[in-house]
Amino acid sequence: MNKDETLRALHLRRSPDDPLVLPGPWDAASARVFADAGFPALATPSAGVAASLGYADGATPPDEMFAAVARIVRAVDVPVSADVEDGYGLPPAELVERLLETGAVGCNLEDSSDGVLKDPREHADRLAEVRSAAAGRLFVNARVDTFLRGVTDPGEAVERAALYVAAGADCVYPIGAPVELLPRLRSGIRGPLNVLARLDGDGPSPGELGALGATRITFGPGLQKWSARALHGMAEELRKR
């Protein structure tokens, strides 16, 4: 089974108590750690990669992002999905070509740019073009940014999700959705549902999120930030010696 087929298969027939947990590596070293721990696939976070390269979230030049993804892919044997933000304004065919050149077999694409939600129908058309150009070689995770941009009505997220699924998106990611709305989103969205998990101990566990409707769990830049805090603590200890 090819890596793209493996990633797709990992999303299918998940039981509610067993969502797919995808850690987010920000460089080759962190990718090896997660793969060696036994995770079957990985999903890069754009913000985490940006931090590792010295950029603010959203400010990474496309060439550097694709190069970072390629290094991560080369470091591990498991499938890797890449967060490529809103696609950097690249034509769909070029975006797909550059993703495939990195070795990634999946991607995140956001439906907002510069903090503003895109027209959902125009974005759906773009997703359809990406899907067509990929010809099944990329698992497309369509991020829905309504909650992130202050639109609290779950109906808006469901409507956008329906357009994206109809356009060929393999998974939908309503980032920032309140936990209490997950059952509503699950009932209204066809196909796999990606949910962002917190690492501060105050949010539901991956298993609890699965019971609420999550098919797939990601962490955004949470693991990179967690690692940075741990490293900060070690640095403080070193200064005391």
Side-chain angles (χ1 to χ4, degrees):
M1 187 180 291
N2 296 331
K3 287 183 179 179
D4 57 331
E5 296 171 330
T6 298
L7 182 61
R8 197 173 303 279
L10 285 169
H11 289 78
L12 301 178
R13 294 180 293 278
R14 310 293 309 191
S15 63
D17 62 345
D18 183 34
L20 176 62
V21 177
L22 298 180
W26 52 95
D27 60 12
S30 59
R32 290 193 193 101
V33 168
F34 296 137
D36 289 347
F39 289 97
L42 307 174
T44 70
S46 61
V49 173
S52 76
L53 297 174
Y55 293 102
D57 184 17
T60 308
D63 286 351
E64 293 199 43
M65 182 63 77
F66 288 119
V69 171
R71 289 191 292 271
I72 289 169
V73 171
R74 285 198 302 269
V76 297
D77 291 328
V78 300
V80 175
S81 180
D83 183 348
V84 288
E85 304 176 88
D86 67 349
Y88 309 114
L90 296 172
E94 182 179 351
L95 175 62
V96 168
E97 180 182 5
R98 298 202 65 177
L99 277 165
L100 293 175
E101 285 174 350
T102 70
V105 292
C107 66
N108 270 20
L109 284 172
E110 305 168 3
D111 69 348
S112 68
S113 183
D114 297 323
V116 179
L117 287 167
K118 297 181 179 182
D119 178 275
R121 287 171 177 78
E122 291 179 3
H123 187 62
D125 290 342
R126 178 170 168 78
L127 289 172
E129 292 182 60
V130 168
R131 178 73 171 164
S132 176
R137 294 170 292 175
L138 287 174
F139 186 93
V140 178
N141 188 34
R143 205 178 89 173
V144 178
D145 287 0
T146 51
F147 296 104
L148 200 63
R149 304 305 174 200
V151 180
T152 58
D153 178 10
E156 175 69 17
V158 169
E159 288 177 13
R160 285 176 174 261
L163 288 170
Y164 304 160
V165 170
D170 299 290
C171 186
V172 176
Y173 179 16
I175 186 171
V179 171
E180 62 270 17
L181 292 181
L182 291 182
R184 164 76 173 88
L185 295 172
R186 174 68 285 167
S187 67
I189 294 175
R190 291 169 45 211
L193 180 66
N194 190 149
V195 172
L196 179 70
R198 296 169 58 181
L199 292 167
D200 55 13
D202 291 335
S205 68
E208 290 168 333
L209 290 173
L212 291 170
T215 310
R216 155 176 163 160
I217 308 293
T218 53
F219 304 92
L223 288 160
Q224 181 270 325
K225 291 180 178 179
W226 199 7
S227 176
R229 286 193 294 271
L231 188 59
H232 177 77
M234 287 185 273
E236 289 297 314
E237 287 297 318
L238 284 173
R239 287 190 59 189
K240 296 174 183 176
R241 296 184 180 183

